[in-house]
Amino acid sequence: MAKKANKFLIGNWKMNPQTVAEAEKLFKKIKPTAVRFKNTHVVLCPPTIFLGDIEPLYRGEKISFGAQDIFWEMDGAYTGEISASQLVDAGVSYVLIGHSERRALGEDNESVKRKLEATLRHSLTPVLCVGETKRDHGGEYLSFITEQITSAFEDISVKDVSDVVIAYEPVWAIGKDEDDAMTAHELHQMSLFVRKILTNLYDAKTARKVSVIYGGSVKRENAEELISEGNIDGFLVGSASLDAEHFLDIGRIIENS
Ligand code: PGA
């Protein structure tokens, strides 16, 4: 596994764009600036079907490629699934695990746990996505996140924990405008809370080594406040990652933070 970066700018292209030609065009626009970032590691997660065309367009360590999902079995009769070795062979080094859009389609904490193990076993860097669907005054959402993190790490040894990136993504803030995103103050509390869960599971030193990033309507308009006051190590960006200029502006903000 490559040495972990200080800060992350991860682009989740989801099920976009629709053609490989558009995907290549987007990548070629992102590449020249992304390779010049010094402290910010750029990870692009295109639809897996485009990886074979995009990955050969860059040879270097400044940009990594990520998958949007993984399956925990090594090989065999699992129609539609993609194994860790297939991802490694395709040049992938990061994997999004438990994204809320996959959880909404039925992924549960048990499969997230198995995927996390499979990812670490193959020396891929997992980006574990957690976040509540809604907030309540009684603080139920805090137990919800505690459960998501605790169950995912159940069988993960202290040695492997620091390789994990946790993406805190409140579902209510995903796919909205910057005005609907989380405030920097709320984010600061949540990043402390995530580290507190890890401290309880392991210890404070280990918890500090885990990168915690934020996702949910990150735009160039709100990125500065979120990164400067949110106590986070970068962003997982959805819709704004499909516009190279917007995405790179967010990267510049992380660089200068
Ligand atoms: P968004 O998506 O930036 O469009 O809100 C974030 C995500 O789903 O990871």
Side-chain angles (χ1 to χ4, degrees), residues 14 99-101 169-176 180-181 214-217:
K14 307 191 179 184
H99 188 279
S100 64
E101 286 152 13
E169 299 204 295
V171 182
W172 50 268
I174 292 180
K176 303 270 176 49
D180 300 306
Y214 170 75
S217 301

Side-chain angles (χ1 to χ4, degrees), residues 29-60:
K29 280 190 192 162
I30 291 171
K31 185 172 85 167
T33 304
V35 295
R36 289 206 302 271
F37 290 150
K38 294 207 160 47
N39 308 312
T40 311
H41 190 61
V42 175
V43 181
L44 298 174
C45 307
T48 316
I49 195 164
F50 296 150
L51 272 170
D53 291 281
I54 297 178
E55 192 269 341
L57 300 177
Y58 176 66
R59 287 281 165 258

